[in-house]
């Protein structure tokens, strides 16, 4: 029987991506499926901190093994912004269009377009806490291209490719993405423990 692990997220897109990566080995449950309907505060000032906060909340309140992740975009010419504030960069949580517009405006005229996505995944299994990190380096282009994905995907071109994440299918994006790489480390860890 597959082991149950709760993914501490309500983002349907992310749940789908992670089920695709982990579904063979684990039964992934969403927050709704364990009866958690409250908003989990993301008040830390780092991705690792927020990822840990979310996982600890679920483990402490629901007593179930869980995985939580926190991601963001770091832009070199903006001193690492929007970073931990990626989802609410333009002020309104999850307004991807406004976030992209603010990003492009702040980068206007800047020669250095280097950026990376970063994910920190926290696993809590039987009370033991482990963190896994994944990054993907790339560049922010000047206008949006592509309709797939979410967030900053239409303006991010990963190094070594000539299309944005929003022009890639999920199957193309996952293996090279920050989240895919962090989850790959998580899977290696879980397999080694078996
Ligand atoms: P989360 O912690 O995974 O919810 O990510 C926080 C924010 O970072 C999202 O709301 C997006 O703005 C941005 N982000 C994270 N991962 C991605 C991605 O794969 N593509 C585009 N934007 C992302």
């Amino acid at each position: 029987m597959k082991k149950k692990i709760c993914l501490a997220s309500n983002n349907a897109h992310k749940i789908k991506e992670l089920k695709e990566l982990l579904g063979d080995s684990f039964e992934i449950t969403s927050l709704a499926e364990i009866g958690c309907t409250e908003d989990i505060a993301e008040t830390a000032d780092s991705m690792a901190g927020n990822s840990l906060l979310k996982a600890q909340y679920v483990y402490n309140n629901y007593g179930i093994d869980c995985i939580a992740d926190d991601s963001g975009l770091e832009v070199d010419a903006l001193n690492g912004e929007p970073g931990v504030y990626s989802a609410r960069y333009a002020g309104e949580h999850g307004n991807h269009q406004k976030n992209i517009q603010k990003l492009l405006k702040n980068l206007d005229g800047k020669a250095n377009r280097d950026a990376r996505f970063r994910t920190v995944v926290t696993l809590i299994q039987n009370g033991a806490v482990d963190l896994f990190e994944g990054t993907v380096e790339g560049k922010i282009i000047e206008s949006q291209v592509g309709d797939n994905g979410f967030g900053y995907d239409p303006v991010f071109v990963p190094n070594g490719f000539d299309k944005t994440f929003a022009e890639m299918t999920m199957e193309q994006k996952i293996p090279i993405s920050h989240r895919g790489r962090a989850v790959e480390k998580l899977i290696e860890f879980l397999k080694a423990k078996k």
Side-chain angles (χ1 to χ4, degrees), residues 44-53 70 84 118 120 122 131 133:
D45 61 2
S46 67
M47 291 172 215
N50 278 334
S51 165
L52 187 61
L53 269 183
D70 201 66
V84 73
R118 183 184 304 280
V120 180
T122 298
L131 270 62
E133 194 171 271

Side-chain angles (χ1 to χ4, degrees), residues 16-186:
K16 193 172 167 214
E17 265 191 21
L18 284 170
K19 269 190 178 168
E20 206 146 303
L21 287 159
L22 282 173
D24 288 346
S25 326
F26 294 92
E27 181 189 337
I28 307 293
T29 66
S30 65
L31 283 175
E33 281 165 328
I34 62 162
C36 176
T37 52
E38 56 272 25
D39 262 344
I40 305 174
E42 293 184 32
T43 49
D45 61 2
S46 67
M47 291 172 215
N50 278 334
S51 165
L52 187 61
L53 269 183
K54 286 184 269 188
Q56 275 172 336
Y57 183 92
V58 171
Y59 191 80
N60 293 342
N61 290 283
Y62 294 87
I64 181 169
D65 288 350
C66 63
I67 295 164
D69 77 314
D70 201 66
S71 309
L73 176 71
E74 299 170 349
V75 180
D76 289 352
L78 303 177
N79 300 316
E81 273 186 18
V84 73
Y85 304 108
S86 293
R88 54 195 142 120
Y89 191 38
E92 194 185 315
H93 191 97
N95 189 329
H96 299 316
Q97 269 312 313
K98 281 198 177 154
N99 288 342
I100 289 177
Q101 277 153 22
K102 178 170 178 183
L103 178 72
L104 294 182
K105 191 159 172 270
N106 287 348
L107 275 177
D108 196 25
K110 298 224 191 304
N112 182 0
R113 315 285 297 193
D114 292 345
R116 76 202 50 76
F117 279 116
R118 183 184 304 280
T119 293
V120 180
V121 169
T122 298
L123 166 73
I124 305 188
Q125 237 188 347
N126 304 318
V129 179
D130 289 282
L131 270 62
F132 307 88
E133 194 171 271
T135 56
V136 53
E137 301 284 334
K139 294 211 180 327
I140 304 298
I141 56 169
E142 288 181 5
S143 55
Q144 303 186 45
V145 187
D147 299 315
N148 301 334
F150 71 107
Y152 300 90
D153 279 350
V155 291
F156 184 83
V157 175
N159 288 349
F161 294 81
D162 57 7
K163 51 184 175 183
T164 67
F165 266 171
E167 291 179 279
M168 297 184 180
T169 61
M170 198 185 272
E171 289 71 31
Q172 289 171 319
K173 179 187 166 187
I174 285 176
I176 57 166
S177 79
H178 47 314
R179 201 163 17 260
R181 286 174 174 162
V183 172
E184 199 175 289
K185 289 184 189 169
L186 166 74

